[in-house]
């Protein structure tokens, strides 16, 4: 592959996400270079993250040459909110935020929640679109805790660390168990096997 063919664009305006993925990328000896690009792809409202991610990827097709990917995530409070905010996570975070979410929960002893991440990747050398998924399960914290991470991290307690929120973990600890970390490992495997 020529030099340009080794570049992969990560389309995101979220530098937390970029830093998480950049750290993982750095630990792998890959023949690719990761470049951040903020293109503001079109967000649609759909029932599941796959549709949102694939629509987003498609919306930037005309703008870019080479290989590129987007990552779309959602926070799902399965108990007691039946999966809310899910695909509306971004809007809900902007409007009512973590304080508002905690107000919606009446019984913290019984919460179940998960994050889901979808990486949608256009791989130019093979002219194909691939998706990689990752999920992390846990519950909702009774209060906002921790200074790390972003978004809903201060109110999510992963099953792997029952006494800590995502925001109380280091980036490395979060990456090992997170939705994005898991999707990312699948993505890296594809790049390594290619
Ligand atoms: P998007 O993938 O950037 O559209 O994410 C949707 C919403 O979920 C945003 O409001 C983010 O703050 C939140 N979100 C995505 N990933 C994470 C995460 O790893 N931790 C906490 N919140 C997240």
């Amino acid at each position: 592959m020529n030099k340009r063919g080794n570049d992969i664009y990560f389309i995101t305006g979220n530098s937390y996400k970029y830093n998480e993925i950049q750290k993982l990328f750095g630990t792998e000896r890959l023949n690719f270079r990761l470049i951040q690009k903020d293109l503001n792809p079109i967000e649609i409202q759909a029932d599941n993250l796959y549709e949102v991610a694939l629509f987003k990827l498609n919306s930037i097709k005309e703008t870019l040459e080479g290989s590129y990917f987007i990552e779309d995530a959602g926070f799902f409070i399965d108990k007691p909110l039946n999966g809310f905010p899910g695909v509306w996570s971004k809007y809900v975070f902007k409007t009512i935020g973590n304080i508002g979410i905690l107000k919606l929960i009446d019984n913290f002893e019984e919460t179940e929640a998960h994050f889901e991440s979808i990486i949608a990747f256009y791989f130019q050398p093979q002219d194909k679109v691939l998706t990689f998924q990752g999920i992390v399960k846990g519950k909702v914290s009774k209060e906002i805790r921790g200074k790390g991470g972003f978004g809903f991290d201060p109110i999510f307690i992963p099953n792997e660390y029952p006494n800590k929120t995502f925001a109380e973990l280091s980036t490395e600890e979060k990456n090992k168990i997170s939705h994005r970390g898991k999707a990312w490992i699948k993505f890296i495997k594809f790049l390594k096997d290619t």
Side-chain angles (χ1 to χ4, degrees), residues 1-189:
M1 245 181 280
N2 61 26
K3 251 189 154 182
R4 189 105 178 270
N6 290 342
D7 290 346
I8 296 179
Y9 294 98
F10 180 14
I11 315 303
T12 183
N14 183 330
S15 19
Y16 288 98
K17 278 189 183 183
Y18 180 73
N19 289 339
E20 277 184 14
I21 280 185
Q22 173 67 12
K23 269 201 175 158
L24 287 163
F25 208 86
T27 58
E28 302 289 336
R29 291 184 184 278
L30 290 172
N31 204 12
F32 295 94
R33 186 165 65 131
L34 190 66
I35 303 167
Q36 181 182 12
K37 228 176 172 48
D38 186 3
L39 284 180
N40 236 338
I42 300 167
E43 297 248 1
I44 52 152
Q45 218 57 77
D47 287 346
N48 64 73
L49 283 183
Y50 277 100
E51 270 182 60
V52 178
L54 289 172
F55 190 92
K56 246 187 192 176
L57 192 78
N58 211 28
S59 79
I60 49 174
K61 206 173 171 180
E62 307 299 322
T63 336
L64 257 174
E65 269 183 46
S67 300
Y68 50 88
F69 69 97
I70 60 110
E71 188 270 348
D72 218 80
F75 181 47
F76 299 76
I77 301 178
D78 304 296
K79 258 193 192 169
L81 303 183
N82 297 329
F84 182 83
V87 289
W88 297 284
S89 293
K90 197 171 186 172
Y91 181 70
V92 170
F93 186 76
K94 260 199 308 201
T95 50
I96 63 170
N98 287 331
I99 294 174
I101 289 276
L102 294 188
K103 281 188 187 153
L104 296 177
I105 296 171
D106 46 13
N107 181 1
F108 282 93
E109 306 313 319
E110 295 239 339
T111 60
E112 280 176 23
H114 72 273
F115 277 105
E116 180 179 355
S117 159
I118 304 288
I119 291 173
F121 177 46
Y122 172 68
F123 190 42
Q124 192 201 30
Q126 297 178 2
D127 189 27
K128 67 180 181 191
V129 170
L130 300 118
T131 56
F132 307 92
Q133 186 224 32
I135 284 179
V136 57
K137 292 186 177 177
K139 59 183 187 172
V140 182
S141 166
K142 286 180 188 159
E143 70 272 307
I144 293 172
R145 277 194 350 233
K147 299 219 177 317
F150 68 100
F152 301 105
D153 280 349
I155 60 164
F156 178 72
I157 300 179
N159 287 342
E160 290 83 346
Y161 292 91
N163 299 315
K164 286 188 177 180
T165 67
F166 255 1
E168 293 174 307
L169 301 179
S170 66
T171 305
E172 287 79 5
E173 285 170 329
K174 181 183 167 189
N175 274 341
K176 273 191 196 142
I177 58 166
S178 80
H179 48 311
R180 203 160 18 261
K182 287 174 186 160
W184 185 250
I185 283 167
K186 295 177 188 171
F187 183 31
I188 294 275
K189 185 172 179 326

